[in-house]
Amino acid sequence: DSGVTQTPKHLITATGQRVTLRCSPRSGDLSVYWYQQSLDQGLQFLIQYYNGEERAKGNILERFSAQQFPDLHSELNLSSLELGDSALYFCASSDGTGNPTNEKLFFGSGTQLSVL
Amino acid sequence: GQQVMQIPQYQHVQEGEDFTTYCNSSTTLSNIQWYKQRPGGHPVFLIQLVKSGEVKKQKRLTFQFGEAKKNSSLHITATQTTDVGTYFCAASGAGGTSYGKLTFGQGTILTVHP
């Protein structure tokens, strides 16, 4: 158990819909990362938050947004869903202090999103 | 942006054979990490390399960071069926623009035949 909690584990929805994925980081970790994993794209970095503020942005679509709340949990919002958005979405956390020895990520179990 | 190339994409071995996956970058890296993802699981941190030419061992696993800090390798000696999974390298680039952001390689999927 990594200590990172993601809900829900599975999500089935239809094209055009909007969903919210939730992540609670490990106790004490300030950084939350979101990654998308699909069969043909590997692990794609979407976005990172540190202590409530956006720190880095990757290949995140405009239809997707995220935020980190004061209690450090994070939500990833996916809207106007398309078939191609079907993937495994991982949240990871780290203490985010910037010390290279502490940048290792602890991943949650992921949310499997299926868009039908 | 920074890219990390990982080869091979797939590797099938007989139990007992050795396995190596390689990770290469066109830019100098500040550090490199390795993760393992079991089938149906999530990536799990294995190790981090920071120093040029660094070599670290974990039982049958040997991790190396190149002298120029642009490449790395993971070698498994005498594979076992428990080694199956996808091995990812993940790199942080040198310089502030890549601060805190790890770029993952495409991963090497290892299957081990008993």
Side-chain angles (χ1 to χ4, degrees), chain A residues 96-115:
Chain A
T97 59
N99 184 338
T101 62
N102 291 327
E103 282 181 355
K104 58 189 177 187
L105 301 186
F106 294 86
F107 283 80
S109 297
T111 294
Q112 180 66 58
L113 174 66
S114 299
V115 182

PDB file of all heavy atoms in Angstrom, chain A residues 96-115:
ATOM      1  N   GLY A  96       7.746  16.806  -2.394  1.00  0.00           N
ATOM      2  CA  GLY A  96       7.823  18.022  -3.192  1.00  0.00           C
ATOM      3  C   GLY A  96       8.690  19.117  -2.638  1.00  0.00           C
ATOM      4  O   GLY A  96       8.494  20.289  -2.957  1.00  0.00           O
ATOM      5  N   THR A  97       9.664  18.786  -1.818  1.00  0.00           N
ATOM      6  CA  THR A  97      10.495  19.842  -1.250  1.00  0.00           C
ATOM      7  C   THR A  97      11.548  20.320  -2.241  1.00  0.00           C
ATOM      8  O   THR A  97      12.185  21.338  -2.034  1.00  0.00           O
ATOM      9  CB  THR A  97      11.227  19.349   0.012  1.00  0.00           C
ATOM     10  OG1 THR A  97      12.046  18.226  -0.365  1.00  0.00           O
ATOM     11  CG2 THR A  97      10.249  18.942   1.079  1.00  0.00           C
ATOM     12  N   GLY A  98      11.737  19.558  -3.322  1.00  0.00           N
ATOM     13  CA  GLY A  98      12.745  19.942  -4.299  1.00  0.00           C
ATOM     14  C   GLY A  98      14.079  19.260  -4.072  1.00  0.00           C
ATOM     15  O   GLY A  98      14.958  19.320  -4.915  1.00  0.00           O
ATOM     16  N   ASN A  99      14.224  18.610  -2.938  1.00  0.00           N
ATOM     17  CA  ASN A  99      15.444  17.854  -2.687  1.00  0.00           C
ATOM     18  C   ASN A  99      15.450  16.638  -3.593  1.00  0.00           C
ATOM     19  O   ASN A  99      14.545  15.816  -3.502  1.00  0.00           O
ATOM     20  CB  ASN A  99      15.471  17.412  -1.224  1.00  0.00           C
ATOM     21  CG  ASN A  99      16.752  16.691  -0.853  1.00  0.00           C
ATOM     22  OD1 ASN A  99      17.442  16.155  -1.723  1.00  0.00           O
ATOM     23  ND2 ASN A  99      17.053  16.656   0.427  1.00  0.00           N
ATOM     24  N   PRO A 100      16.435  16.530  -4.494  1.00  0.00           N
ATOM     25  CA  PRO A 100      16.419  15.426  -5.458  1.00  0.00           C
ATOM     26  C   PRO A 100      16.268  14.061  -4.822  1.00  0.00           C
ATOM     27  O   PRO A 100      15.718  13.153  -5.425  1.00  0.00           O
ATOM     28  CB  PRO A 100      17.770  15.557  -6.171  1.00  0.00           C
ATOM     29  CG  PRO A 100      18.126  16.983  -6.037  1.00  0.00           C
ATOM     30  CD  PRO A 100      17.597  17.402  -4.680  1.00  0.00           C
ATOM     31  N   THR A 101      16.727  13.897  -3.617  1.00  0.00           N
ATOM     32  CA  THR A 101      16.638  12.575  -3.005  1.00  0.00           C
ATOM     33  C   THR A 101      15.224  12.266  -2.549  1.00  0.00           C
ATOM     34  O   THR A 101      14.928  11.147  -2.181  1.00  0.00           O
ATOM     35  CB  THR A 101      17.578  12.452  -1.799  1.00  0.00           C
ATOM     36  OG1 THR A 101      17.194  13.406  -0.812  1.00  0.00           O
ATOM     37  CG2 THR A 101      19.016  12.701  -2.205  1.00  0.00           C
ATOM     38  N   ASN A 102      14.359  13.264  -2.552  1.00  0.00           N
ATOM     39  CA  ASN A 102      12.995  13.040  -2.089  1.00  0.00           C
ATOM     40  C   ASN A 102      11.960  13.209  -3.186  1.00  0.00           C
ATOM     41  O   ASN A 102      10.786  13.347  -2.901  1.00  0.00           O
ATOM     42  CB  ASN A 102      12.668  14.009  -0.959  1.00  0.00           C
ATOM     43  CG  ASN A 102      13.456  13.683   0.289  1.00  0.00           C
ATOM     44  OD1 ASN A 102      13.730  12.528   0.556  1.00  0.00           O
ATOM     45  ND2 ASN A 102      13.816  14.696   1.028  1.00  0.00           N
ATOM     46  N   GLU A 103      12.398  13.204  -4.436  1.00  0.00           N
ATOM     47  CA  GLU A 103      11.442  13.433  -5.508  1.00  0.00           C
ATOM     48  C   GLU A 103      10.723  12.169  -5.928  1.00  0.00           C
ATOM     49  O   GLU A 103       9.912  12.190  -6.817  1.00  0.00           O
ATOM     50  CB  GLU A 103      12.148  14.007  -6.733  1.00  0.00           C
ATOM     51  CG  GLU A 103      12.469  15.479  -6.625  1.00  0.00           C
ATOM     52  CD  GLU A 103      13.147  16.006  -7.875  1.00  0.00           C
ATOM     53  OE1 GLU A 103      13.443  15.203  -8.777  1.00  0.00           O
ATOM     54  OE2 GLU A 103      13.388  17.203  -7.944  1.00  0.00           O
ATOM     55  N   LYS A 104      11.012  11.038  -5.302  1.00  0.00           N
ATOM     56  CA  LYS A 104      10.387   9.804  -5.750  1.00  0.00           C
ATOM     57  C   LYS A 104       8.886   9.872  -5.559  1.00  0.00           C
ATOM     58  O   LYS A 104       8.379  10.486  -4.626  1.00  0.00           O
ATOM     59  CB  LYS A 104      10.969   8.609  -5.012  1.00  0.00           C
ATOM     60  CG  LYS A 104      10.837   8.676  -3.508  1.00  0.00           C
ATOM     61  CD  LYS A 104      11.650   7.551  -2.897  1.00  0.00           C
ATOM     62  CE  LYS A 104      11.617   7.597  -1.380  1.00  0.00           C
ATOM     63  NZ  LYS A 104      12.543   6.607  -0.787  1.00  0.00           N
ATOM     64  N   LEU A 105       8.197   9.229  -6.503  1.00  0.00           N
ATOM     65  CA  LEU A 105       6.746   9.284  -6.529  1.00  0.00           C
ATOM     66  C   LEU A 105       6.145   8.018  -5.939  1.00  0.00           C
ATOM     67  O   LEU A 105       6.642   6.914  -6.152  1.00  0.00           O
ATOM     68  CB  LEU A 105       6.254   9.438  -7.973  1.00  0.00           C
ATOM     69  CG  LEU A 105       6.729  10.668  -8.744  1.00  0.00           C
ATOM     70  CD1 LEU A 105       6.041  10.741 -10.098  1.00  0.00           C
ATOM     71  CD2 LEU A 105       6.493  11.935  -7.963  1.00  0.00           C
ATOM     72  N   PHE A 106       5.047   8.212  -5.238  1.00  0.00           N
ATOM     73  CA  PHE A 106       4.266   7.102  -4.717  1.00  0.00           C
ATOM     74  C   PHE A 106       2.929   7.149  -5.432  1.00  0.00           C
ATOM     75  O   PHE A 106       2.199   8.133  -5.332  1.00  0.00           O
ATOM     76  CB  PHE A 106       4.098   7.229  -3.206  1.00  0.00           C
ATOM     77  CG  PHE A 106       5.392   7.087  -2.463  1.00  0.00           C
ATOM     78  CD1 PHE A 106       6.220   8.174  -2.263  1.00  0.00           C
ATOM     79  CD2 PHE A 106       5.793   5.855  -1.984  1.00  0.00           C
ATOM     80  CE1 PHE A 106       7.423   8.042  -1.601  1.00  0.00           C
ATOM     81  CE2 PHE A 106       6.994   5.705  -1.312  1.00  0.00           C
ATOM     82  CZ  PHE A 106       7.816   6.802  -1.118  1.00  0.00           C
ATOM     83  N   PHE A 107       2.643   6.077  -6.164  1.00  0.00           N
ATOM     84  CA  PHE A 107       1.451   6.049  -7.005  1.00  0.00           C
ATOM     85  C   PHE A 107       0.273   5.407  -6.289  1.00  0.00           C
ATOM     86  O   PHE A 107       0.435   4.447  -5.522  1.00  0.00           O
ATOM     87  CB  PHE A 107       1.724   5.251  -8.284  1.00  0.00           C
ATOM     88  CG  PHE A 107       2.521   5.991  -9.316  1.00  0.00           C
ATOM     89  CD1 PHE A 107       3.897   6.087  -9.213  1.00  0.00           C
ATOM     90  CD2 PHE A 107       1.892   6.599 -10.392  1.00  0.00           C
ATOM     91  CE1 PHE A 107       4.635   6.772 -10.160  1.00  0.00           C
ATOM     92  CE2 PHE A 107       2.620   7.289 -11.350  1.00  0.00           C
ATOM     93  CZ  PHE A 107       3.995   7.371 -11.242  1.00  0.00           C
ATOM     94  N   GLY A 108      -0.902   5.938  -6.597  1.00  0.00           N
ATOM     95  CA  GLY A 108      -2.121   5.284  -6.182  1.00  0.00           C
ATOM     96  C   GLY A 108      -2.435   4.127  -7.113  1.00  0.00           C
ATOM     97  O   GLY A 108      -1.699   3.868  -8.076  1.00  0.00           O
ATOM     98  N   SER A 109      -3.530   3.447  -6.835  1.00  0.00           N
ATOM     99  CA  SER A 109      -3.901   2.264  -7.625  1.00  0.00           C
ATOM    100  C   SER A 109      -4.556   2.617  -8.944  1.00  0.00           C
ATOM    101  O   SER A 109      -4.778   1.734  -9.767  1.00  0.00           O
ATOM    102  CB  SER A 109      -4.838   1.376  -6.813  1.00  0.00           C
ATOM    103  OG  SER A 109      -4.171   0.912  -5.652  1.00  0.00           O
ATOM    104  N   GLY A 110      -4.875   3.888  -9.128  1.00  0.00           N
ATOM    105  CA  GLY A 110      -5.406   4.329 -10.414  1.00  0.00           C
ATOM    106  C   GLY A 110      -6.915   4.267 -10.520  1.00  0.00           C
ATOM    107  O   GLY A 110      -7.591   3.562  -9.757  1.00  0.00           O
ATOM    108  N   THR A 111      -7.430   5.049 -11.456  1.00  0.00           N
ATOM    109  CA  THR A 111      -8.848   4.994 -11.832  1.00  0.00           C
ATOM    110  C   THR A 111      -8.918   4.574 -13.287  1.00  0.00           C
ATOM    111  O   THR A 111      -8.338   5.245 -14.155  1.00  0.00           O
ATOM    112  CB  THR A 111      -9.532   6.362 -11.658  1.00  0.00           C
ATOM    113  OG1 THR A 111      -9.569   6.708 -10.285  1.00  0.00           O
ATOM    114  CG2 THR A 111     -10.962   6.323 -12.219  1.00  0.00           C
ATOM    115  N   GLN A 112      -9.581   3.465 -13.539  1.00  0.00           N
ATOM    116  CA  GLN A 112      -9.753   2.993 -14.912  1.00  0.00           C
ATOM    117  C   GLN A 112     -11.003   3.647 -15.487  1.00  0.00           C
ATOM    118  O   GLN A 112     -12.112   3.377 -15.034  1.00  0.00           O
ATOM    119  CB  GLN A 112      -9.900   1.474 -14.961  1.00  0.00           C
ATOM    120  CG  GLN A 112     -10.083   0.917 -16.355  1.00  0.00           C
ATOM    121  CD  GLN A 112      -8.853   1.104 -17.215  1.00  0.00           C
ATOM    122  OE1 GLN A 112      -7.763   0.643 -16.885  1.00  0.00           O
ATOM    123  NE2 GLN A 112      -9.012   1.783 -18.350  1.00  0.00           N
ATOM    124  N   LEU A 113     -10.803   4.521 -16.456  1.00  0.00           N
ATOM    125  CA  LEU A 113     -11.913   5.228 -17.083  1.00  0.00           C
ATOM    126  C   LEU A 113     -12.244   4.586 -18.424  1.00  0.00           C
ATOM    127  O   LEU A 113     -11.358   4.413 -19.270  1.00  0.00           O
ATOM    128  CB  LEU A 113     -11.561   6.693 -17.302  1.00  0.00           C
ATOM    129  CG  LEU A 113     -12.580   7.524 -18.089  1.00  0.00           C
ATOM    130  CD1 LEU A 113     -13.884   7.648 -17.299  1.00  0.00           C
ATOM    131  CD2 LEU A 113     -12.031   8.905 -18.430  1.00  0.00           C
ATOM    132  N   SER A 114     -13.490   4.233 -18.583  1.00  0.00           N
ATOM    133  CA  SER A 114     -13.968   3.696 -19.855  1.00  0.00           C
ATOM    134  C   SER A 114     -15.041   4.621 -20.392  1.00  0.00           C
ATOM    135  O   SER A 114     -16.066   4.836 -19.729  1.00  0.00           O
ATOM    136  CB  SER A 114     -14.536   2.283 -19.676  1.00  0.00           C
ATOM    137  OG  SER A 114     -13.541   1.406 -19.193  1.00  0.00           O
ATOM    138  N   VAL A 115     -14.807   5.163 -21.574  1.00  0.00           N
ATOM    139  CA  VAL A 115     -15.779   6.037 -22.215  1.00  0.00           C
ATOM    140  C   VAL A 115     -16.423   5.263 -23.358  1.00  0.00           C
ATOM    141  O   VAL A 115     -15.729   4.793 -24.268  1.00  0.00           O
ATOM    142  CB  VAL A 115     -15.111   7.318 -22.752  1.00  0.00           C
ATOM    143  CG1 VAL A 115     -16.165   8.235 -23.361  1.00  0.00           C
ATOM    144  CG2 VAL A 115     -14.365   8.035 -21.632  1.00  0.00           C
TER     145      VAL A 115
END
